[in-house]
C-alpha cells in the first residue's frame, strides 16, 4: 500500500528543490546580464597612449592639413599650436572612446594667452601607433561620455552637435545636429542629416544637455 505521507513529503521536497533551482537560474541569468553590461560599457586605454601623454613615447602628428605626419613628442604640442605664445600649454585632458570601438582616445586641451589660437589635440591609437590630430578651439564644448560634443564656427554661421570617427584618411567629424544661417541667425536645421524644424532641433539640443559630461584631468599626469 502506498504511503501517502511519504508521497506528500517527497512532493514538498521536489517542489522546494524546484523553487531553489529556479532562483539559482534567475540569479545566474542576472549575473550574466550584469557581466555583459560591464563588458559592453567598459573601455580600455591603450598602453602606448599613457606613454605618449607622459612624454615617454613620440607619436605621429598630422601636419599640413593631415596630408603629412611628423614624429613629435607631447612637449612639442604647445609650440606647434602657436610658437609665438610663450604661455601656450596643455591645460587638461580627457580619456574617452570617441568612435565606439572599445578603445579610448585622449582629448587634450591646449590654451595660451589668446584662447582662439589654442584648441584640442585628439590622440588615437591604431596598429600599435598613436596618431595626433588638431581640432579648433570651438570643438569639444560640453564633451559628453558618449563622445558627442557641441561645436560652432567663428563666423556665427554654423553650430551643432557632432561625433568623431577615424578612417585611413584621418579624423572625420560627423554632424548629429546642425544649424546654419548668417550672423548667428540660424534658419536651416538638420537632425542626423535630415531636415528638421527649429522646435525639433531645440528639443534635441535640450536632450543633449541632459547627457553626462566627460571627466577632465589636470595635466601633466602625476
Amino acid at each position: 500500500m502506498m504511503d501517502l505521507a511519504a508521497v506528500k513529503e517527497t512532493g514538498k521536497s521536489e517542489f522546494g528543490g524546484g523553487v531553489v533551482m529556479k532562483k539559482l537560474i534567475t540569479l545566474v541569468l542576472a549575473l550574466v546580464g550584469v557581466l555583459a553590461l560591464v563588458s559592453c560599457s567598459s573601455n580600455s586605454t591603450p598602453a602606448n597612449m599613457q606613454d605618449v601623454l607622459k612624454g615617454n613615447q613620440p607619436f605621429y602628428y598630422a601636419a599640413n592639413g593631415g596630408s603629412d605626419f611628423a614624429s613629435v613628442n607631447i612637449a612639442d604640442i604647445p609650440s606647434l599650436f602657436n610658437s609665438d605664445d610663450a604661455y601656450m600649454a596643455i591645460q587638461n585632458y580627457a580619456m574617452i572612446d570617441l568612435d565606439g570601438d572599445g578603445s579610448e582616445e585622449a582629448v587634450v586641451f591646449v590654451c595660451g594667452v589668446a584662447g582662439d589660437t589654442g584648441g584640442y589635440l585628439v590622440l588615437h591609437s591604431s596598429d600599435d601607433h598613436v596618431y595626433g590630430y588638431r581640432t579648433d578651439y570651438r570643438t569639444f564644448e560640453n564633451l559628453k561620455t558618449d563622445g558627442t560634443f557641441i561645436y560652432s564656427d567663428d563666423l556665427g554661421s554654423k553650430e551643432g552637435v557632432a561625433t568623431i570617427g577615424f578612417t585611413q584618411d584621418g579624423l572625420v567629424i560627423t554632424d548629429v545636429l546642425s544649424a546654419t544661417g548668417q550672423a548667428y541667425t540660424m534658419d536651416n536645421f538638420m537632425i542626423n542629416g535630415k531636415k528638421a524644424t527649429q522646435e525639433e532641433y531645440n528639443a534635441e539640443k535640450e536632450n543633449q544637455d541632459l547627457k553626462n559630461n566627460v571627466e577632465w584631468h589636470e595635466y601633466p599626469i602625476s
Side-chain angles (χ1 to χ4, degrees):
M1 183 175 180
M2 184 177 294
D3 188 342
L4 294 179
V7 171
K8 289 181 179 179
E9 289 300 323
T10 301
K12 288 181 180 179
S13 176
E14 291 177 350
F15 176 75
V19 171
V20 171
M21 183 59 69
K22 287 182 179 179
K23 288 183 177 180
L24 285 174
I25 292 174
T26 301
L27 180 61
V28 170
L29 290 175
L31 182 59
V32 169
V34 170
L35 291 175
L37 181 62
V38 170
S39 175
C40 292
S41 61
S42 61
N43 301 312
S44 62
T45 301
N48 55 1
M49 187 71 71
Q50 290 293 325
D51 289 335
V52 165
L53 286 170
K54 292 178 180 179
N56 297 330
Q57 177 180 320
F59 65 96
Y60 294 105
Y61 178 70
N64 300 323
S67 59
D68 297 314
F69 285 89
S71 179
V72 303
N73 189 280
I74 193 74
D76 301 323
I77 289 302
S79 62
L80 288 173
F81 272 50
N82 187 351
S83 59
D84 296 326
D85 187 347
Y87 294 96
M88 187 68 66
I90 295 175
Q91 304 293 334
N92 48 34
Y93 71 99
M95 300 302 302
I96 178 173
D97 180 7
L98 290 172
D99 56 352
D101 67 349
S103 181
E104 291 183 325
E105 281 75 37
V107 179
V108 182
F109 177 52
V110 185
C111 186
V113 173
D116 58 353
T117 60
Y120 295 88
L121 173 72
V122 179
L123 295 173
H124 171 68
S125 180
S126 177
D127 298 328
D128 297 325
H129 297 292
V130 174
Y131 298 87
Y133 305 91
R134 178 178 178 173
T135 68
D136 188 79
Y137 75 101
R138 291 179 177 271
T139 57
F140 291 113
E141 181 181 349
N142 293 336
L143 177 60
K144 303 298 184 178
T145 55
D146 66 350
T148 56
F149 57 89
I150 293 175
Y151 73 91
S152 61
D153 69 5
D154 56 0
L155 299 177
S157 60
K158 185 175 183 179
E159 65 176 32
V161 174
T163 60
I164 278 182
F166 302 92
T167 68
Q168 291 182 343
D169 297 324
L171 180 148
V172 177
I173 297 178
T174 302
D175 284 341
V176 178
L177 309 175
S178 66
T180 56
Q182 292 183 346
Y184 299 98
T185 302
M186 306 303 175
D187 54 15
N188 184 47
F189 305 93
M190 304 287 287
I191 299 177
N192 292 320
K194 296 181 180 180
K195 186 78 173 178
T197 65
Q198 184 173 1
E199 290 73 19
E200 291 170 334
Y201 174 83
N202 290 339
E204 289 299 318
K205 281 289 293 292
E206 290 179 2
N207 291 334
Q208 176 70 17
D209 292 338
L210 296 176
K211 296 178 181 179
N212 293 325
N213 291 322
V214 76
E215 182 180 0
W216 292 90
H217 308 279
E218 290 186 0
Y219 192 87
I221 299 176
S222 57

